Amino acid sequence: MASVENESGLHRVVVVGGGAAGLQLVTKLGDKLGRGKRAHITLVDRARTHIWKPLLHEVAAGSLDVGHHAVDYLHHAHMHGFRYRIGRMTGLDRDARTVQLAASHDAEGREVTPERAVPYDTLVMAVGSTTNDFGTTGVAEHAIALDTQEQAVRFHQRLVNASLRAHTQVGPVRPGQLHVTVIGAGATGTELAAELHRTLRHVVSTGLDKIDPGKDIRITLVEAADRILPAVPQRLSAEVMQLLNKIGVDVRVKARVTEVRADGVQLADGTFIPSELVVWAAGVKAPPFLQGIGGLETTRTNQLVVTPTLQTTRDPDIFAIGDCAYLVEAGSDTPVPPRAQAAHQQASHLISQIPAKIAGKPLKPFRYKDFGSLVSLGEYSTVGSLMGFVRGKNMLIAGLFARMMYRSLYKMHERALHGTAKTVLDTLARALTRRTEPRVKLH
């Protein structure tokens, strides 16, 4: 392994994971501490660019071009006073206070960066979550998850290729050939099902006239619970269910998947769903490499157990935020949910607490506030539930107002990274380019 970077004097803050929470944290700490040479701020991530994870279903469906929304880590680091180190975290040496990184390679297999160790004084784990397939047979071989932008792009390419194949093949379109089954009706799965219903038909309409959308295309959404969106209020779930039924998405609830095959999905009740395109969006867990890493306390789903100050239970110099953190707040019997708003709140909390820790001041406990849920069904509709919006009561919203609020969440994320001026300019630029580009990405 390459020698540890030799730095002295300044406090070294290392954040592992450049998702929404991690990137927001290093951006603000870089602006606050890095630029003024008050601390060394470093981001570690295996990817080279960032995209907001709630947008991945749009990338997979082809309604969003990842190239227009990706944030380049190296450039962003240069602009905001922190450093970026590419590499997949493989280990943690708490005695030496170093994070071990695997070597990175290019598309031809040549080494780009060697194995190395990155030293820290304060470490923040923000590595998010991965899809949990619960050991279901065939998932790894025949289904695609949507944990990363690479997976989302790969599914979209598979979708377009399947359409071209069906159009140019000698025989007729096979049963299930252009059927898509989405397993897991949480927010990602539900939004993807609605988006695919529109975009797949648009792909076909661009001249693939051998395909009959009404006959050959079907989107099926499968959920093991007794309703879709089981983590949101019942009223919101029912509203979304009604909209999905209206546009023709085939929804199966109380349906447990036992096997994913090359030609479809097998359910526990014996039903077989013909489908050559399968997305697995059921369940989440923290990345497997976290299990017991460095002797830290972890759950059976690999999450790092943290105290109210978001410090790990066995090492106060290591924090965890976002989906990879397990926190049960005082007075609650359930952990803070693995949702984007929780990760954002935790990152915002540490923006003030990391400087306090460096200064030797006591840390304040984190308090999670649930602001509700928003579910986008693309151009069909957006619905949501705002928590405590009017005199402590929940409020169901839908239509244009809900869509504007959904989009504003992404704008808030962009503003946290780039500031108001750049966010406005980027928004205007995208609005102009959309007028000259296909409505759906076709490659």
Side-chain angles (χ1 to χ4, degrees), residues 12 27 37 70-71 100 124 288 316:
R12 299 164 298 187
T27 299
K37 304 299 182 183
V71 178
Q100 279 78 49
V124 182

Side-chain angles (χ1 to χ4, degrees), residues 13-176:
V13 179
V14 174
V15 178
V16 181
L23 188 55
Q24 177 187 344
L25 179 59
V26 292
T27 299
K28 296 302 182 182
L29 290 180
D31 289 339
K32 182 182 293 189
L33 303 177
R35 282 179 169 174
K37 304 299 182 183
R38 295 167 55 194
H40 286 298
I41 312 298
T42 301
L43 171 68
V44 171
D45 199 282
R46 64 186 302 175
R48 300 191 184 191
T49 59
H50 157 86
I51 190 167
W52 198 46
K53 196 169 183 178
L55 293 179
L56 287 181
H57 74 279
E58 296 186 38
V59 176
S63 52
L64 182 143
D65 189 335
V66 67
H68 292 170
H69 294 261
V71 178
D72 185 287
Y73 286 135
L74 196 58
H75 174 73
H76 194 73
H78 175 70
M79 297 299 294
H80 290 276
F82 67 91
R83 295 171 304 177
Y84 160 63
R85 298 290 181 259
I86 185 172
R88 175 176 57 86
M89 183 177 176
T90 57
L92 171 65
D93 187 335
R94 288 169 54 201
D95 293 329
R97 291 191 176 187
T98 59
V99 172
Q100 279 78 49
L101 303 183
S104 65
H105 299 82
D106 62 19
E108 287 76 37
R110 293 175 297 181
E111 183 175 277
V112 177
T113 58
E115 289 186 3
R116 52 187 169 159
V118 178
Y120 69 86
D121 295 303
T122 295
L123 175 64
V124 182
M125 299 298 296
V127 294
S129 60
T130 61
T131 301
N132 189 350
D133 64 13
F134 306 104
T136 306
T137 302
V139 173
E141 295 81 7
H142 305 299
I144 292 182
L146 295 184
D147 296 323
T148 66
Q149 59 179 287
E150 291 79 13
Q151 290 172 325
V153 170
R154 182 154 56 95
F155 175 79
H156 176 65
Q157 291 173 341
R158 184 179 292 186
L159 185 75
V160 174
N161 289 340
S163 301
L164 292 171
R165 188 180 300 115
H167 175 67
T168 57
Q169 68 191 22
V170 176
V173 178
R174 299 185 303 273

Side-chain angles (χ1 to χ4, degrees), residues 164-209:
L164 292 171
R165 188 180 300 115
H167 175 67
T168 57
Q169 68 191 22
V170 176
V173 178
R174 299 185 303 273
Q177 185 175 359
L178 290 178
H179 292 190
V180 182
T181 297
V182 180
I183 302 169
T188 297
T190 301
E191 292 176 333
L192 176 63
E195 197 75 7
L196 283 172
H197 183 272
R198 178 184 68 85
T199 59
L200 186 51
R201 283 163 171 76
H202 186 80
V203 170
V204 171
S205 71
T206 57
L208 308 184
D209 46 28

Side-chain angles (χ1 to χ4, degrees), residues 424-439:
V424 171
L425 289 173
D426 283 347
T427 301
L428 291 174
R430 291 170 193 154
L432 291 173
T433 56
R434 275 201 302 269
R435 296 178 179 274
T436 61
E437 295 178 345
R439 293 178 61 194

